[in-house]
Amino acid sequence: MKNLCFKQFPLGGRRCTLAALLALAAAGCAVGPDFHPPAPPPGLRDDSYTPTPMPSATVSAPGPGGASQHLALGQDIPAQWWTVFHSPELDRLVRTALEHSPTVAAAEAALRQAQENYDAERGGRVVPAVNAQLGAAREHLADQGKTVNGVFSLYNASVNVSYAPDAFGATRRVLEGAQAAIDYQRYQLEAAQLALTANVVTAAIREASLRAQLRATTEVLAAQRQQLGVIDKQLQAGAVARAVLLSQRSQVAQTAATVPPLEKALAQSRHALSALAGQLPSTPDLPQFELASLTLPEQLPVSLPSALARQRPDVRASEALLHQASAQVGVATANLYPQITLNASYGAAGASPHEVLQANNLVWNLAAGLTQPLFNGGALTAKRRAAEAAYDAAAAQYRATVLAAFQNVADSLRALESDASALQAQADAEALAAETLALARRQYELGAISYLALLDAQRSFQQSHVALAQAQAARYADTAALFQALGGGWWNRAPASAAAP
């Protein structure tokens, strides 16, 4: 950490003269490090987030969520990123959540608090303090041979002015830290809004997935019950043994047992959506979401790796904490130097109230003071070392936040690729399982296969049918995760509501 003022006026060397102090005050020298945004992480490449470049497009599959997605590296992200799913219900719910969420309201209040704290620090340090004083006293003096024993009154009125010149930049560093605290709360607000919108979108996708799984399970259950009716008639005709009927009933019961957990998860997902929107779970007009009502975006903007640190609100918030720690090093350094104070007062005093108004009773004073720390048991230097250690800790935390941000993006990109391939394979498996089951039913009705073979075909289709709905939902969830990992596009909102990246 460079410290020009500290080198020019070492505490253990030549003493700072009054002229030097006044020159420093006029020049506006501030001790301590000047903050600069951290450099990009070493090894950063602008062509890819992953060790091997991502393919430009994912594979496609039939059905909802099966479209091929193209990655547009370097393309900017829209501010209202959730609108890429083309769901008016989702858009309305997200806007309702942003308006009524207590989490966002708490972050907004914290930002206002930081702004007021800055104004308080600035008002108490930059502008001279001016106070008016009125006083009245009744005193008794004992006779000690030099004064006359008696009782008298004293009235005074004055205006007092005090000011501490910022000779070594302590005030500037304090205000710098207070401004960094504002920046931190501003980015915390952006992070809260991004997390809220991502949670709403993810919860809506989860609801749609559960509805699809529940529908798939219900369809399988209906087919199994229909098959149970056929077997029952066969038993009455003496064509099958009773064990076959019991096995089919067992299969129907097992499938039916999977319905209540899905219904419970769906209800809990609805309750979570209500809470995210700042509403009670009993809210009746909450929209319902289906995978078919969501459009999987085929064009996915991907920010350049070099821009990610300036776009992620959590990284910017961590940078603001680093800036605040840097300012605290400057404050601790300034405390090692002389402190200058200026005071003045102007008023009047008298033995009665009307004497206070007389011109010959005017009183005034001007005073200047300089305090130079000489010996304090090493407390001030220890505090400076502690501030430097806090800066090092904030720098390490910043690096950890940056690494986590790049990991989030890399994970999301690989998930897009892998889950697209998984959906393609699952769609093929579901189609084959459905064809196999239809063939097995016809063969069983003709007596060409055993009931166990039909039962295996039913189980295979049930598993693949439900897994297909889960694979379809994963594509939507991966898309939302990518937008969240890239920062959510907050920098593209109106300047009044967002800070410039």
Side-chain angles (χ1 to χ4, degrees):
M1 297 182 181
K2 295 184 179 180
N3 188 344
L4 180 59
C5 294
F6 194 81
K7 291 180 179 179
Q8 289 177 337
F9 299 96
L11 296 179
R14 294 168 296 178
R15 296 180 178 178
C16 296
T17 63
L18 180 59
L21 293 175
L22 294 176
L24 280 173
C29 184
V31 296
D34 292 328
F35 181 78
H36 300 283
L44 179 67
R45 295 168 27 220
D46 245 358
D47 59 341
S48 179
Y49 285 92
T50 53
T52 57
M54 291 286 300
S56 59
T58 65
V59 298
S60 61
S68 175
Q69 293 182 301
H70 300 264
L71 304 179
L73 188 63
Q75 183 175 324
D76 206 1
I77 300 171
Q80 285 76 38
W81 61 269
W82 58 88
T83 58
V84 299
F85 295 103
H86 298 289
S87 172
E89 294 79 9
L90 180 60
D91 181 47
R92 285 195 297 269
L93 186 61
V94 169
R95 294 179 186 276
T96 298
L98 289 172
E99 183 178 355
H100 298 289
S101 169
T103 302
V104 172
E108 290 173 342
L111 175 58
R112 294 196 304 272
Q113 179 186 13
Q115 291 170 335
E116 296 299 338
N117 286 337
Y118 175 87
D119 292 340
E121 287 286 359
R122 189 178 188 280
R125 293 174 176 269
V126 175
V127 181
V130 181
N131 299 293
Q133 180 179 350
L134 293 174
R138 186 76 170 167
E139 297 186 18
H140 172 266
L141 294 178
D143 184 7
Q144 298 180 353
K146 297 180 181 179
T147 62
V148 178
N149 184 29
V151 178
F152 67 94
S153 299
L154 180 63
Y155 299 87
N156 64 77
S158 63
V159 175
N160 304 315
V161 180
S162 61
Y163 180 62
D166 191 21
F168 294 97
T171 295
R172 274 161 285 174
R173 295 305 188 192
V174 169
L175 295 181
E176 182 183 348
Q179 180 60 54
I182 294 177
D183 295 337
Y184 171 76
Q185 294 299 341
R186 179 179 294 113
Y187 294 121
Q188 284 291 88
L189 173 58
E190 296 294 348
Q193 292 175 333
L194 175 59
L196 177 63
T197 56
N199 288 338
V200 171
V201 173
T202 302
I205 293 172
R206 174 171 170 76
E207 178 188 335
S209 172
L210 289 169
R211 288 189 186 280
Q213 294 176 52
L214 187 58
R215 183 180 300 105
T217 304
T218 303
E219 292 172 355
V220 171
L221 184 58
Q224 289 176 348
R225 284 172 174 167
Q226 183 180 7
Q227 184 66 28
L228 178 62
V230 174
I231 295 175
D232 186 48
K233 291 180 179 179
Q234 291 176 335
L235 177 64
Q236 294 176 7
V240 298
R242 182 172 177 78
V244 174
L245 179 65
L246 294 177
S247 296
Q248 183 65 18
R249 284 180 177 175
S250 176
Q251 181 65 28
V252 170
Q254 291 175 10
T255 303
T258 63
V259 173
L262 289 174
E263 293 176 337
K264 182 185 74 172
L266 178 59
Q268 291 175 341
S269 180
R270 300 278 295 169
H271 300 162
L273 272 176
S274 297
L276 288 170
Q279 301 173 350
L280 293 174
S282 58
T283 302
D285 57 348
L286 194 70
Q288 295 185 358
F289 296 97
E290 303 275 358
L291 289 179
S293 66
L294 302 174
T295 301
L296 188 72
E298 298 184 12
Q299 293 289 334
L300 290 180
V302 180
S303 304
L304 291 175
S306 58
L308 182 65
R310 311 309 299 168
Q311 295 178 355
R312 286 269 299 217
D314 57 338
V315 174
R316 296 296 295 271
S318 183
E319 180 185 323
L321 290 179
L322 181 62
H323 191 175
Q324 189 176 32
S326 172
Q328 289 301 317
V329 175
V331 173
T333 304
N335 290 336
L336 297 171
Y337 286 86
Q339 308 297 316
I340 303 173
T341 57
L342 302 176
N343 295 281
S345 66
Y346 183 84
S352 62
H354 72 273
E355 291 183 3
V356 175
L357 303 177
Q358 296 178 2
N360 57 351
N361 289 326
L362 295 177
V363 294
W364 59 270
N365 71 74
L366 294 173
L370 186 147
T371 302
Q372 168 63 58
L374 296 178
F375 178 77
N376 46 50
L380 295 179
T381 54
K383 287 182 179 179
R384 186 178 190 273
R385 290 194 299 270
E388 291 174 340
Y391 177 87
D392 293 339
Q397 184 58 49
Y398 174 82
R399 292 193 297 272
T401 305
V402 171
L403 291 176
F406 279 88
Q407 178 188 349
N408 292 158
V409 178
D411 290 346
S412 299
L413 290 172
R414 286 303 180 192
L416 285 169
E417 180 187 18
S418 300
D419 287 344
S421 300
L423 176 58
Q424 185 185 58
Q426 192 60 51
D428 293 340
E430 196 266 352
L432 290 174
E435 185 178 354
T436 301
L437 177 59
L439 179 60
R441 282 174 179 168
R442 289 194 299 269
Q443 291 177 331
Y444 177 76
E445 292 171 357
L446 296 174
I449 62 172
S450 67
Y451 172 72
L452 291 179
L454 174 61
L455 195 60
D456 288 339
Q458 288 178 340
R459 290 173 178 169
S460 177
F461 175 71
Q462 177 191 5
Q463 295 172 354
S464 62
H465 199 40
V466 174
L468 177 63
Q470 295 173 333
Q472 289 171 337
R475 298 290 309 281
Y476 295 95
D478 293 341
T479 301
L482 177 63
F483 279 105
Q484 182 181 15
L486 292 173
W490 57 269
W491 55 92
N492 285 324
R493 290 203 304 268
S497 60

